[in-house]
Amino acid sequence: MNGPRDVTIADLAQHLGVHKSTVSRAMDPARRHLIGAELLQRVEAAARTLGYRPNRAAAALSTGRSKTIGVLLPDITNPVFPPILRGIEDALDAEGYFALLANTSRRDDAAQTAVERMGAQRVEGFLIATAVRDDSWLEGLRQRGTRIVLVNRTDGSGALPAVISDDMLGMRLAVDHLVGLGHRRIAHLAGPATLSTGLARKIGFEQALLAHGLAPAAMAECSAYTVEGGQTAMAALLDARKGRRDFSAVVAANDQIALGVLDLLRRRKIAVPQQISVIGHNDIPLLDQVNPPLSSVRIQHYEMGFRAARLLLDALSGTPGSSDATIVLRPQLVARASTGPAP
Amino acid sequence: MNGPRDVTIADLAQHLGVHKSTVSRAMDPARRHLIGAELLQRVEAAARTLGYRPNRAAAALSTGRSKTIGVLLPDITNPVFPPILRGIEDALDAEGYFALLANTSRRDDAAQTAVERMGAQRVEGFLIATAVRDDSWLEGLRQRGTRIVLVNRTDGSGALPAVISDDMLGMRLAVDHLVGLGHRRIAHLAGPATLSTGLARKIGFEQALLAHGLAPAAMAECSAYTVEGGQTAMAALLDARKGRRDFSAVVAANDQIALGVLDLLRRRKIAVPQQISVIGHNDIPLLDQVNPPLSSVRIQHYEMGFRAARLLLDALSGTPGSSDATIVLRPQLVARASTGPAP
DNA sequence: TTGAAAGCGCTAACAC
DNA sequence: GTGTTAGCGCTTTCAA
């Protein structure tokens, strides 16, 4: 059925008249020094001529280490995730690890199913960007010894190591910026309260206002972090006020929501930023090209992925200290033309 | 070092007083029917209570099938690739396969290195979106029996199965659209000639013009499919003409290049589309929000990934016919505000 | 319908 | 330095 069988270390050993464990040693950089210099050469030469290709699957079975990490994303199609994944992959690659990928927005239980199937593949740990605040199964997993690092979002337990952006600070940057422009009546379009980011940004927004002695002018929760979610919530906000707007600026919980807001305001002929200022969060690509260029809070996507992967890798190799940390990255304000002086 | 050892089929077998091969059969849906109904129940119950988790890594070693596919992308951060990857993943997931991911834009030989390492992991095949026209190593791989399906780009050999977009048709759509708007002098900013898409679109552009009895008004090749590549090439095109533009429309080889063009024209105070019309290719997200909304040729990214994965899966399972096909998907014109009547 | 035995390719004590 | 031996957990003939 298959063509010529793969060449194995046993084949090499026989060919060279040595034992296969000798070949095994010669193949492993970490144990190569145990081998005679001349023999080492011969092994390498033979490997080349016979076309030997190491079989990590076999090594994995023997050692229990697959050199493979499970990565769970809601949906790679959401522009927030590519740079995170890229960061993850760069960190893993440097250590010879691969990412096994799953998008979990297919079904409700997709994340758990993926974790189970990846567990069967014996991934050494998980990088999870899909945590929901009331996920208790994640904490259960951890207690059974599964290595997990959360990215971008945390779960409710707070017990799992995570790498996230400082959402409170992000909101402070946004609010300070607007207040600096003279705005006093500021509205917030929140993300889903089921997500840690949705909640943290909402609280962050309120606290940031409070620091200026202000209260929210209006609040609404979007059903999802999408353009449509933003449009719908914004329409509701405006309609509820029947034309009498009591706010001059909107802080959106993420960029897609903000884009939805821009879209709706454009359709309703409300000028941005002359009549209403809008600011997003995350700073996804192309925001500088939209109309008007959208102000946002830039978070360190790539860095987030990279650090999360490093954290997991360190935990796997038993590096002390780093194991249980939660790393909080600093966001940065990016002011563009969608925010301007209060009317 | 490790906690309690994993539960294996041997443990289950002992616990139940049967042979492990019996348990193995009970675990495999395809061979379950060989097992007595009552015993089957007991096995399943025991598996549950003892917390048995199948070890695919071991199965992989035994069967030679890892249920894993290697996916090579240049850079997931380029908005063209997320939907392709999503399509791939959806198709793989349906068959219980996982994608092992590698971004290959890190180094020149990253693709070959990744293929080698993934080969060691015994992936069953490769989905490759990084082909370069003069890649001969891919063809070599195929001849040695490696299963490969190309996505988005083809290599030079034409011998490898691939799923791509109809680039000739895409250019025809773009050119027909512009000619329909009255343009006669049309320029092309080509992608790198080392990529199949760069070349095919360039030829497609020329042929499409020819069909209207026209010749290219100007041509330039961008060093990369990037915004900067577009800016630079466009600047060169304009500067070479010292202000005397002999074209009223630009067909860019992809959207990033087109965005670079828009950017440059904005800085030079040349009105789009009043003075120059611009059209891109691929229709990446947010193009409808940029200023002005960019016309483009929409290609079926998701479908491309999905079909490629299906093709590979079919080949792996020995489904006849489908194995060696090259599938060409039809693109579609998306006219927006960046293209308008010729001045 | 179930059991026995061999083996997938590699690693890891331990011995020489 | 190198060989021996014994698995890792599962599948797969072949028998019974």
Side-chain angles (χ1 to χ4, degrees):
Chain A
M1 181 122 183
N2 296 318
R5 215 183 80 277
D6 283 344
V7 178
T8 71
I9 51 170
D11 298 330
L12 283 188
Q14 185 179 10
H15 179 83
L16 292 165
V18 300
H19 194 90
K20 63 187 178 124
S21 45
T22 304
V23 177
S24 172
R25 290 183 189 110
M27 287 312 187
D28 179 358
R31 293 175 302 151
R32 225 200 279 303
H33 64 275
L34 296 171
I35 301 295
E38 185 227 28
L39 178 54
L40 189 60
Q41 303 256 318
R42 289 178 52 220
V43 174
E44 284 173 343
R48 206 177 330 278
T49 62
L50 297 198
Y52 169 72
R53 306 183 322 141
N55 185 332
R56 266 225 52 81
L61 178 59
S62 182
T63 60
R65 315 212 63 179
S66 62
K67 289 271 191 178
T68 260
I69 299 290
V71 176
L72 268 53
L73 304 176
D75 181 9
I76 187 62
T77 268
N78 177 336
V80 184
F81 295 110
I84 293 180
L85 179 56
R86 183 66 208 250
I88 289 175
E89 221 248 289
D90 282 355
L92 294 185
D93 181 80
E95 301 276 342
Y97 275 71
F98 278 116
L100 223 56
L101 192 67
N103 290 285
T104 60
S105 67
R106 247 183 306 268
R107 290 177 311 279
D108 265 1
D109 63 341
Q112 297 190 52
T113 308
V115 164
E116 204 168 300
R117 288 180 44 220
M118 288 177 165
Q121 295 275 10
R122 291 299 187 271
V123 298
E124 296 182 33
F126 292 93
L127 259 8
I128 299 186
T130 60
V132 173
R133 272 182 47 237
D134 58 2
D135 269 355
S136 52
W137 65 281
L138 280 178
E139 171 57 11
L141 262 189
R142 189 193 64 90
Q143 282 171 0
R144 268 176 269 127
T146 309
R147 301 290 198 171
I148 303 176
V149 173
L150 267 24
V151 202
N152 190 39
R153 304 176 185 169
T154 59
D155 76 332
S157 78
L160 292 132
V163 181
I164 57 175
S165 182
D166 190 335
D167 286 321
M168 304 288 263
L169 173 57
M171 284 323 225
R172 186 136 45 83
L173 293 174
V175 167
D176 287 358
H177 171 60
L178 291 171
V179 169
L181 288 168
H183 294 272
R184 290 291 173 271
R185 297 156 309 154
I186 307 177
H188 180 52
L189 290 193
T194 50
L195 304 181
S196 64
T197 49
L199 184 66
R201 287 173 197 169
K202 179 177 168 225
I203 296 177
F205 172 76
E206 294 170 329
Q207 303 234 325
L209 279 186
L210 210 59
H212 290 284
L214 300 172
M219 297 278 254
E221 182 180 324
C222 303
S223 56
Y225 273 135
T226 58
V227 175
E228 298 72 43
Q231 290 170 329
T232 309
M234 190 64 193
L237 220 57
L238 291 178
D239 293 344
R241 282 162 179 72
K242 304 186 195 295
R244 307 196 59 72
R245 287 195 306 281
D246 50 359
F247 52 86
S248 64
V250 176
V251 176
N254 87 341
D255 293 326
Q256 279 92 333
I257 292 177
L259 288 172
V261 171
L262 285 189
D263 221 67
L264 188 89
L265 294 180
R266 195 179 304 128
R267 287 211 302 266
R268 301 232 176 152
K269 309 263 189 269
I270 300 175
V272 176
Q274 292 77 9
Q275 294 176 270
I276 293 191
S277 284
V278 179
I279 185 168
H281 196 110
N282 287 356
D283 196 34
I284 62 175
L286 296 193
L287 252 36
D288 54 334
Q289 311 263 359
V290 308
N291 180 26
L294 183 63
S295 298
S296 191
V297 175
R298 175 175 299 164
I299 69 176
Q300 303 188 50
H301 303 97
Y302 177 89
E303 190 72 10
M304 212 151 68
F306 192 91
R307 300 284 290 270
R310 278 259 36 109
L311 208 57
L312 182 56
L313 254 12
D314 288 346
L316 287 175
S317 66
T319 306
S322 50
S323 327
D324 253 35
T326 280
I327 299 181
V328 179
L329 266 26
R330 297 180 66 84
Q332 185 186 349
L333 180 78
V334 181
R336 299 199 182 91
S338 70
T339 45
Chain B
M1 180 123 180
N2 296 317
R5 216 183 80 276
D6 283 344
V7 178
T8 71
I9 52 170
D11 298 331
L12 282 188
Q14 185 178 9
H15 178 83
L16 292 164
V18 300
H19 195 91
K20 66 190 177 121
S21 47
T22 305
V23 177
S24 171
R25 293 184 186 106
M27 285 313 190
D28 180 358
R31 293 175 304 152
R32 225 200 279 303
H33 64 276
L34 296 171
I35 301 295
E38 184 226 30
L39 179 54
L40 189 59
Q41 303 256 315
R42 290 179 48 222
V43 174
E44 285 172 343
R48 207 177 329 279
T49 61
L50 297 198
Y52 170 72
R53 307 182 322 141
N55 185 333
R56 267 225 52 81
L61 178 59
S62 184
T63 59
R65 315 213 61 178
S66 61
K67 289 274 193 177
T68 260
I69 299 291
V71 176
L72 269 53
L73 305 176
D75 182 9
I76 188 61
T77 267
N78 177 337
V80 185
F81 295 109
I84 293 180
L85 180 56
R86 183 65 207 249
I88 288 175
E89 221 248 288
D90 281 355
L92 294 185
D93 180 81
E95 302 275 344
Y97 275 72
F98 278 115
L100 222 57
L101 192 67
N103 290 287
T104 61
S105 67
R106 244 183 308 268
R107 289 178 312 279
D108 265 359
D109 62 341
Q112 297 190 52
T113 308
V115 164
E116 203 167 301
R117 288 180 44 219
M118 288 176 165
Q121 295 275 9
R122 290 300 187 271
V123 298
E124 296 182 32
F126 292 93
L127 259 8
I128 299 186
T130 59
V132 173
R133 274 181 48 235
D134 59 3
D135 269 355
S136 52
W137 64 282
L138 281 178
E139 171 57 9
L141 262 189
R142 191 193 64 91
Q143 282 171 0
R144 266 175 270 129
T146 309
R147 302 290 198 170
I148 302 177
V149 174
L150 267 25
V151 202
N152 189 41
R153 305 175 184 168
T154 59
D155 75 331
S157 78
L160 292 132
V163 181
I164 56 175
S165 183
D166 190 336
D167 286 321
M168 304 288 263
L169 173 57
M171 282 324 218
R172 185 135 46 82
L173 292 174
V175 167
D176 287 0
H177 170 60
L178 291 171
V179 170
L181 287 167
H183 295 272
R184 290 292 173 270
R185 297 157 310 154
I186 308 178
H188 179 52
L189 289 193
T194 49
L195 305 180
S196 65
T197 50
L199 183 65
R201 287 173 196 169
K202 179 179 168 220
I203 296 176
F205 172 76
E206 294 170 330
Q207 303 234 327
L209 278 185
L210 210 58
H212 291 283
L214 299 173
M219 297 279 252
E221 182 179 323
C222 303
S223 55
Y225 274 136
T226 58
V227 175
E228 298 72 41
Q231 289 170 331
T232 308
M234 190 64 193
L237 220 58
L238 290 178
D239 293 343
R241 284 161 178 71
K242 304 186 196 291
R244 308 195 61 70
R245 286 194 306 281
D246 50 359
F247 52 86
S248 64
V250 175
V251 176
N254 88 340
D255 293 327
Q256 278 92 334
I257 291 176
L259 288 172
V261 171
L262 286 188
D263 222 66
L264 188 88
L265 294 181
R266 196 179 304 128
R267 287 211 301 266
R268 301 234 176 149
K269 309 260 189 271
I270 300 174
V272 176
Q274 292 76 10
Q275 296 176 267
I276 295 191
S277 284
V278 179
I279 184 167
H281 197 110
N282 288 357
D283 196 33
I284 62 175
L286 297 192
L287 252 36
D288 54 333
Q289 311 262 0
V290 309
N291 181 25
L294 183 64
S295 298
S296 192
V297 175
R298 176 175 299 163
I299 70 176
Q300 303 187 52
H301 303 97
Y302 177 90
E303 191 72 10
M304 211 150 71
F306 193 91
R307 300 284 291 269
R310 278 258 36 105
L311 209 56
L312 182 56
L313 255 11
D314 288 346
L316 288 175
S317 67
T319 308
S322 50
S323 325
D324 252 36
T326 280
I327 299 181
V328 179
L329 267 25
R330 297 179 65 84
Q332 186 186 348
L333 179 78
V334 181
R336 298 199 181 93
S338 69
T339 45

